[in-house]
Amino acid sequence: MNDGVLELPLQVLRPGRASRVSLILTVVEAEQLHAALCYALGDEPAPKEAPECRKPVRYPGGRQKY
C-alpha cells in the first residue's frame, strides 16, 4: 500500500491466452471488494488455511457475521 492505494496483481485467463494485470484500488474500494467477496463466499465453508477474516464469527443468539 502506498499513499492509500493498493495494487492487487491478477492473472486473467482466456482460452489460449493469459495476461498479467494489476487492479489498483483505494482503501475504500479494497474494503468494498473484501466485503463483496466475503458475502459471495458466505455459504461456502472456509478452508483451514483461510485468513481469520474469512472465518465465521458467532454472536450470542446464533447470528453469524463474516
Side-chain angles (χ1 to χ4, degrees):
M1 182 164 72
N2 194 11
D3 295 328
V5 176
L6 302 166
E7 181 177 358
L8 180 64
L10 299 174
Q11 184 171 354
V12 179
L13 302 173
R14 295 190 304 217
R17 189 171 176 192
S19 301
R20 292 182 186 258
V21 297
S22 290
L23 180 61
I24 308 296
L25 302 167
T26 66
V27 174
V28 171
E29 291 168 334
E31 188 59 41
Q32 289 172 337
L33 175 60
H34 176 258
L37 290 171
C38 284
Y39 179 78
L41 295 170
D43 292 337
E44 295 294 321
K48 290 180 184 177
E49 66 277 0
E52 190 64 32
C53 64
R54 177 67 174 96
K55 299 197 171 137
V57 175
R58 298 250 180 222
Y59 290 94
R63 187 173 60 112
Q64 273 192 2
K65 184 176 181 181
Y66 291 90

